[in-house]
Amino acid sequence: MGGMQHSTELFEEAQKYLPGGVDSPVRAYKAVGGTPPFIVAGQGSRMFDADGNEYIDYIGSWGPLIAGHAHPQVVKALKTAAERGTSFGAPTELETTLAKMVCKAMPSIEMVRFVNSGTEATMSALRLARAYTGRNKIIKFAGGYHGHSDGLLVKGGSGLATLGIPDSPGVPPGYAKETLVARYNDINSVERLFERYPDDIAAVIIEPVAANMGVVLPTPGFLPGLRRLTREYGTLLVFDEVITGFRIGYGGAQGLYGITPDLTCLGKIIGGGLPVGAYGGRREMMGMMAPLGPVYQAGTLSGNPLAMTAGIETLKLLSQPGVYNQLEQRTEALEKGIKAAAESAKSTVQVNRIASLLTIFFTDRRVTDWDSSATSDRSQYAAFFHKMLGAGIYWPPAQFEAVFVSLAHTPEDIQQTVEAVDRAFRSL
Ligand code: KE4
């Protein structure tokens, strides 16, 4: 490896002007320690840092780059689009084109609005849910992350069925108390909240497959149970598919599990690496959004031509036959290699995987919710992370994130990664 001298200097300089030297906290390596390499380029499954180091990349910008870095088809289309101008603040056909692709992929979405981030998507979807139902409370799940809007930076109060409390300074307690927190995979914890607040809950928002407590799959019956309860109480079911949308299948988690949510939030992949978010649902509901209806939401760069172009090209690549089989095969091989390495090194880890999403938890407990995920040994994870980084494998710099495998990852990449995992486990 080419050392870290230049990244270290760049990080020192960045910290003078950017809080923590970064524009998003996870990038600063607080969870794993050390200096984050400053990246200068990506190509396919690889990233290159300012010190000449090359990495096999398993974050893919935290999900968007399912086709790999700088895919030729995406870059070519972006160049052409950019030469026509980058933003108009006026309607373009590109937005309709991507909207049609989204609606075709997820039939629960009859109408969609593009925004610039997943945060905006969930914030707007919950405003719509509150306007549509005339109710104020929402339910989220411990360990679920839906972006950083005030009402979602909330943790469970003490005991169960209590009002949420702020999970960050700056969130007014008045906002937090409208958010109730349930336990993922525990339908009774949701039922108790509905029994306590039968007429107050506008929406349940969930990552149908959780990826922000590490990857945690819904147990059979959990999602159908949520659909049943929300219908029974006149509450909207909001699927936050910012990560799962077009990731675990072209139809997202709703396609895979056969659940029809009332609203869906998207992001990441549908922008192909450019800033994007989206929310959508039935026409009668989306028709409440300005300028059609009274619920306000707007955005200078919403639906901008570059993000639309990158999203369209990425979804075109994902709609090719065999794409999801390839992602499944690559990631299954990675999972099997990790489990074999753990076995031979006698490491107690859990590996949760679905499609091309995977997390290694450093705990002997099966991970089915936040409480079990939180038993993971963070210092072990940090040591593992640095062993992998030193071996040229860019693993997520935090235990409670997901590994993202792309179409650009080759069998040789997977083999090289498994060998690095084997060496890392043996050294722990
Ligand atoms: P953004 O506002 O970061 O585009 O999206 C927020 C969001 C919403 N919903 C889900 C399920 C998400 O995972 C996210 C953002 N994901 C994190 C990674 N866990 C983004 C990485 C970061 O915060 O830097």
Side-chain angles (χ1 to χ4, degrees):
M1 298 300 286
M4 291 289 289
Q5 180 57 35
H6 197 30
S7 288
T8 303
E9 287 159 9
L10 291 170
F11 194 38
E12 277 160 19
E13 184 73 1
Q15 290 177 77
K16 294 178 195 160
Y17 301 96
L18 302 163
V22 293
D23 284 311
S24 200
V26 71
R27 304 175 192 172
Y29 280 22
K30 284 278 177 282
V32 291
T35 298
F38 272 54
I39 303 302
V40 295
Q43 185 63 44
S45 64
R46 304 292 167 130
M47 274 201 301
F48 304 88
D49 75 11
D51 297 283
N53 299 308
E54 178 174 343
Y55 304 97
I56 301 176
D57 174 27
Y58 284 100
I59 60 171
S61 178
W62 302 103
L65 299 174
I66 194 167
H69 289 281
H71 190 288
Q73 182 176 322
V74 176
V75 172
K76 183 168 179 289
L78 277 174
K79 279 180 178 170
T80 306
E83 283 161 357
R84 293 201 189 104
T86 56
S87 179
F88 309 111
T92 68
E93 185 181 4
L94 289 166
E95 296 153 78
T96 312
T97 302
L98 186 56
K100 286 159 101 170
M101 295 172 91
V102 166
C103 295
K104 189 158 175 265
M106 298 180 189
S108 74
I109 303 175
E110 294 176 341
M111 197 171 255
V112 64
R113 167 66 58 85
F114 292 111
V115 292
N116 297 284
S117 69
T119 294
E120 267 192 275
T122 58
M123 177 176 72
S124 310
L126 292 178
R127 182 178 308 137
L128 172 55
R130 287 176 159 133
Y132 184 81
T133 59
R135 301 175 179 179
N136 291 328
K137 288 199 170 11
I138 62 164
I139 292 176
K140 76 174 290 288
F141 292 85
Y145 177 69
H146 308 285
H148 63 87
S149 61
D150 284 338
L152 287 165
L153 291 182
V154 168
K155 60 188 171 196
S158 58
L160 292 174
T162 55
L163 305 180
I165 53 178
D167 202 8
S168 162
V171 174
Y175 285 27
K177 73 176 178 50
E178 298 298 348
T179 303
L180 306 169
V181 182
R183 185 196 303 273
Y184 198 84
N185 278 328
D186 175 355
I187 197 68
N188 296 328
S189 71
V190 183
E191 190 133 38
R192 274 200 297 280
L193 291 172
F194 274 112
E195 286 160 1
R196 177 95 184 260
Y197 302 100
D199 307 312
D200 304 78
I201 300 170
V204 171
I205 184 165
I206 187 165
E207 294 177 65
V209 169
N212 285 288
M213 48 180 121
V215 175
V216 176
L217 307 192
T219 48
F222 180 56
L223 296 177
L226 282 182
R227 184 64 282 184
R228 171 180 54 78
L229 273 176
T230 46
R231 279 224 169 83
E232 189 181 324
Y233 284 89
T235 293
L236 300 190
L237 181 57
V238 181
F239 268 16
D240 178 348
E241 296 222 43
V242 167
I243 284 187
T244 55
F246 299 96
R247 165 65 58 178
I248 62 175
Y250 197 73
Q254 57 195 271
L256 202 65
Y257 292 100
I259 300 279
T260 302
D262 297 299
L263 287 170
T264 299
C265 304
L266 297 168
K268 296 183 193 270
I269 287 174
I270 64 165
L274 276 287
V276 75
Y279 64 100
R282 291 192 301 278
R283 211 174 289 281
E284 48 109 6
M285 207 173 280
M286 292 302 289
M288 291 191 75
M289 297 311 297
L292 257 186
V295 184
Y296 198 70
Q297 177 268 312
T300 303
L301 289 165
S302 294
N304 78 80
L306 300 191
M308 297 295 103
T309 296
I312 289 163
E313 294 308 317
T314 301
L315 293 199
K316 278 183 193 169
L317 289 165
L318 293 176
S319 46
Q320 303 298 315
V323 152
Y324 289 96
N325 289 343
Q326 178 184 319
L327 290 166
E328 175 65 25
Q329 282 163 13
R330 290 281 185 283
T331 321
E332 186 187 32
L334 178 59
E335 175 190 10
K336 284 184 173 163
I338 292 167
K339 286 179 173 172
E343 184 76 26
S344 60
K346 300 206 180 349
S347 302
T348 46
V349 295
Q350 306 295 319
V351 183
N352 285 2
R353 175 181 81 87
I354 181 167
S356 56
L357 283 179
L358 173 147
T359 298
I360 302 175
F361 296 95
F362 285 78
T363 179
D364 55 5
R365 293 262 308 264
R366 261 174 20 83
V367 178
T368 58
D369 58 16
W370 169 245
D371 289 346
S372 44
S373 173
T375 65
S376 302
D377 181 329
R378 277 89 147 168
S379 58
Q380 269 222 323
Y381 185 87
F384 171 77
F385 170 82
H386 283 289
K387 288 287 178 197
M388 296 293 278
L389 194 69
I393 313 290
Y394 202 106
W395 211 252
Q399 168 68 83
F400 307 116
E401 298 289 354
V403 157
F404 297 89
V405 176
S406 82
L407 288 171
H409 285 85
T410 64
E412 295 69 30
D413 287 335
I414 302 299
Q415 185 50 39
Q416 189 180 328
T417 306
V418 167
E419 285 162 9
V421 169
D422 191 70
R423 286 195 299 275
F425 280 168
R426 289 178 193 285
S427 71
L428 293 181

